[in-house]
Structures are given as C-alpha cells and as structure tokens.
Amino acid sequence: MKNKKIWIAIGIVALAIIVYLLLSGGKKEEKVEFETTKVETTDIHTTITATGTIEPVTSVTVGTQVSGIVSKLYVDYNSVVKKGQVIAELDKTNLISELNTARANLTSAQSSATYEQNNYSRYKTLYDKGLVSADEYESALLSWQKAKEQVNTSRESVRKAETNLGYATITSPIDGVVLSKSVEEGQTVAASFNTPELFTIAQDLTNMRVIADIDEADIGGVVEGQRVMFTVDAFPDDQFEGRVTQVRQQATTESNVVTYEVVISAPNNDLKLKPGLTANVTIFTLEKNGVLAVPSKALRFMPNEALLQKGQTISDIEAPHKLWTLEGQTFKAHKVEIGTTNGVLTEIVSGIGAGTEVLSDFSISSPEAPAQEQATNPFMPRPRGNNRGQSQNTNGGQAPRR
C-alpha cells in the first residue's frame, strides 16, 4: 500500500510537470527577423536582348544587261570607287557588229523612203491630170508611208544597238567600296533570263546598321529612338551604341517562332564593324535615371498580427500602395505614389523620403531548429520564375533576359 501511494505521487508530479511545460511553451520562443532596404536614388532600366546582322545602310548589286565575255576588270575587293567610274568591260566585238548592221539597215530604209516619196510625187502629178487610176495613186502613197515606218523602225534598232554597246561598259552607280566580286576576266556572263551579278558596292562603311530579329512577345515594347547597346564577337571587349530607327511590320515565322525585324543605327567611324558580323543586341525599352526607388518586393510586404512579437503593434492605413517601417515596437504604413517599374525596382514618386529604411521581408526561425528548417514569410508573395523578364539592379547592372 505504501509503494502504491509513492507511484501515485510520482505520477501526479510528472503530470504537473507536463502541464506546466505545455502551458509555458515547452520550447524557446521563435525568433522573427526582418529584412530592410533603403529608399534611394538609382536608375531603372528594362531591356530586351536579341541577335542581328550588321550590314551597310546602302548597298547596290551591279550587274549587266547584255551577255558577253568579261574582257577587263578595273576593281577588286575593297576598291574605293566613285559614281560613274568604269569598273569592268565586256567584249564589244559582237555588239559593235550589231550596231553597224543596224546603221546599214537604217541607211537602206532611208534610201527606200526617198525613192517611195519621189515615186508618190510622180503618181500624184499623173493622178491630178487623170492619167493614172486612184488605185495606182493610193498604192504609191501606201508604199511611201511603209517606207517611212521602216525608217523609224531602223532608227530604233540603231538606238538599241548603241545602248547595248554602252551596257558593255560597266560603271559604278554610287560612291562606295566594293564588297564582293563575282566574275573574273575571260568569264562569260549570260543575261538571257536574269541579270548576272558582277559586284556588290557599299555606299558608306562608316554608317552601318543592325537588322535584329525581335520575338513577338517583346516587339510591343520597341519603338523608334530607343537606345541600343550591342557587341560583336570580333571585338568582345568593345561596346557599340546605336538607336532604333525602324520597326518593320512584316513578320517572319520560322519553326513556329514569330519575329519582327528592327533596324538599328550603327555608327562605324573607326571601321571596326564589318558587313555580315553577328551583333548581340540589348535594347533599352525603359530608361529612368536618378529616380527614387525601392525593390518591388517592399511594396508587397504586409506585417501579420499572428506573427507579432510581444508588445508589437500595427499602424495601418488605407492606400493602394504603401511601404512599412518599424518605429520602435510599431509597424507603421506610409502611403506612397509609384511610377514606373521593371519588376525588380519600382519608382517612388512621393510619400516617403530618400534614405528611409523600409521593411521588405521577414523570416521565422527557431533556435532549436536547423538553419535549413527556418521559415520565410508565408504571407509574402514568392518570386515567380520568369524566363522572359529583364531588369537592372540598383547599381545599374543588367540581369540576364533568358
């Protein structure tokens, strides 16, 4: 009986200890740590990236309208040419022969026309005297008219032969530089079905452009005048700058991917940029420099009463946009007006001063729990994966777009 009483007493004491532990918390109090950020002046940039090809603003393909053998070439790759300068000649033997034949035919037609005119005059005199019939008179008149038409036809044949002979001398249509040469001396070119390409001449290599292919999801943010930075693999340490000069409306679809061509100016005074180089383009679709801004997640922060520590309170206000500060034991809301945003940074137009420390996030940790088990704020929106987004951080560095 005595042992039984002892065990009952021990059980009562154990139960009391358990109740005490449950009522007193049984474990150390969880710790809430807040993350803060400053409202500060920075730059907000939004960019999209693409690839493009460098090409001259103006280039002309020079061909020939007549067939023949290339007898002379006066230029080569990279030759500087002037407008009207002779750059090649075709063999003219056959063309000169055709011209001489046309001229002989013209002379013959003119002689025939003179004869028919004189013959008509005789028949007209006889017809006026009633010595020939009307049929004979009209026949003489018709012969003279045909002879005049033949003269006109022969004259046009001479002009055509002269023009073809002129085509045998190839001249540059513009001032520029020869980019490509497609023929050699002695080669035969045939212009029967299309115009053979002899040369490609670029007008001004100091004024280049980039033709960039922009994805359909990004083209809506691209407008003329936007600043562009680009690099080329030939000069990886150099940054080139240009402007969007044209957004073309024609779409191109390849493998179910729709892109639009955007033309970008590319000044090339040092002639580093060469036609055909691939450009890695960054277009600044949004640029606001020297504005007051905070990380966008600070505008999504909202303190929760369930997680307040002992003595802490919340001073809230009704506002579409607000930032929070911790002043002593009070979470205080500040109504702010926002401007532009790139998703990472948001412009603050008014409502809070530069240098103010605002709350942006918090985490909950238990001293007894391993570090990897610490919880982040369950009431804050988590960042979503974004394989299309792009932004600038507070020091102006560009986040990758893809």
Side-chain angles (χ1 to χ4, degrees):
M1 180 65 70
K2 186 176 180 180
N3 289 337
K4 184 178 181 180
K5 291 180 178 179
I6 292 174
W7 283 111
I8 291 174
I10 292 173
I12 293 172
V13 172
L15 180 61
I17 292 173
I18 292 172
V19 172
Y20 172 77
L21 289 174
L22 289 174
L23 294 176
S24 62
K27 62 178 181 179
K28 295 183 180 179
E29 183 179 357
E30 291 179 332
K31 184 179 181 182
V32 180
E33 296 181 348
F34 293 94
E35 179 184 329
T36 62
T37 187
K38 279 188 178 182
V39 180
E40 56 186 357
T41 302
T42 186
D43 300 335
I44 298 179
H45 296 164
T46 299
T47 63
I48 61 174
T49 58
T51 58
T53 303
I54 294 174
E55 63 180 40
V57 173
T58 302
S59 62
V60 178
T61 299
V62 181
T64 174
Q65 291 185 267
V66 294
S67 302
I69 298 173
V70 179
S71 60
K72 292 290 184 179
L73 289 178
Y74 298 105
V75 296
D76 203 345
Y77 292 95
N78 300 333
S79 295
V80 178
V81 296
K82 296 293 184 180
K83 183 177 180 179
Q85 177 181 335
V86 177
I87 57 179
E89 286 185 0
L90 303 182
D91 181 75
K92 301 178 181 179
T93 303
N94 291 337
L95 297 173
I96 292 174
S97 177
E98 290 175 2
L99 176 59
N100 290 336
T101 300
R103 285 174 175 171
N105 290 337
L106 175 60
T107 301
S108 176
Q110 288 172 334
S111 298
S112 296
T114 300
Y115 168 78
E116 295 296 342
Q117 183 181 11
N118 293 334
N119 190 49
Y120 164 74
S121 297
R122 287 192 295 270
Y123 270 89
K124 185 176 185 306
T125 302
L126 295 173
Y127 177 74
D128 291 341
K129 294 179 179 181
L131 299 177
V132 295
S133 65
D135 183 64
E136 290 175 311
Y137 167 75
E138 291 175 357
S139 178
L141 176 60
L142 178 62
S143 296
W144 179 43
Q145 290 174 339
K146 286 183 177 180
K148 289 193 296 184
E149 293 299 326
Q150 185 60 45
V151 169
N152 293 333
T153 301
S154 297
R155 186 175 287 114
E156 291 301 321
S157 296
V158 170
R159 290 175 180 170
K160 181 179 178 181
E162 289 174 342
T163 301
N164 287 339
L165 182 59
Y167 286 152
T169 301
I170 314 299
T171 59
S172 174
I174 59 173
D175 295 344
V177 177
V178 177
L179 296 183
S180 68
K181 181 184 70 171
S182 304
V183 294
E184 297 293 342
E185 288 186 3
Q187 183 174 337
T188 300
V189 292
S192 302
F193 300 103
N194 50 36
T195 302
E197 179 180 323
L198 304 182
F199 305 95
T200 299
I201 300 176
Q203 186 173 37
D204 183 9
L205 293 183
T206 63
N207 184 24
M208 305 288 278
R209 66 182 180 182
V210 179
I211 306 297
D213 295 323
I214 307 299
D215 188 86
E216 62 177 322
D218 298 324
I219 193 65
V222 181
V223 297
E224 293 182 10
Q226 289 173 338
R227 185 169 67 95
V228 180
M229 300 293 294
F230 64 93
T231 61
V232 294
D233 292 340
F235 304 98
D237 297 328
D238 292 344
Q239 285 272 358
F240 301 92
E241 187 167 349
R243 294 278 174 180
V244 174
T245 59
Q246 186 182 53
V247 181
R248 294 178 175 173
Q249 302 298 323
Q250 177 66 41
T252 301
T253 303
E254 184 174 348
S255 300
N256 293 326
V257 177
V258 180
T259 58
Y260 292 83
E261 287 187 344
V262 171
V263 182
I264 300 163
S265 64
N268 188 34
N269 294 328
D270 53 7
L271 298 180
K272 284 186 175 181
L273 299 176
K274 302 182 183 301
L277 288 178
T278 298
N280 304 303
V281 175
T282 300
I283 301 176
F284 291 81
T285 56
L286 169 66
E287 282 192 286
K288 297 202 75 172
N289 299 325
V291 297
L292 207 60
V294 293
S296 298
K297 66 178 182 178
L299 289 161
R300 299 190 293 266
F301 176 85
M302 175 67 70
N304 188 283
E305 292 188 4
L307 298 177
L308 294 181
Q309 301 296 290
K310 184 177 180 180
Q312 292 181 336
T313 58
I314 296 176
S315 175
D316 200 356
I317 57 174
E318 289 292 332
H321 305 286
K322 49 192 171 184
L323 293 172
W324 292 84
T325 57
L326 181 58
E327 301 180 5
Q329 292 287 83
T330 302
F331 292 92
K332 184 177 180 180
H334 302 265
K335 178 182 178 181
V336 294
E337 180 183 352
I338 67 172
T340 56
T341 180
N342 61 8
V344 175
L345 295 174
T346 299
E347 178 188 5
I348 302 301
V349 178
S350 63
I352 201 165
T356 305
E357 292 274 356
V358 297
L359 299 168
S360 60
D361 202 354
F362 65 80
S363 61
I364 305 170
S365 62
S366 172
E368 297 177 355
Q372 60 268 28
E373 295 181 4
Q374 293 184 5
T376 57
N377 179 0
F379 300 94
M380 287 288 291
R382 295 182 181 274
R384 296 175 295 176
N386 185 1
N387 63 355
R388 306 182 67 88
Q390 58 284 324
S391 64
Q392 298 287 345
N393 57 25
T394 54
N395 61 10
Q398 178 187 338
R401 178 176 172 272
R402 291 187 175 90

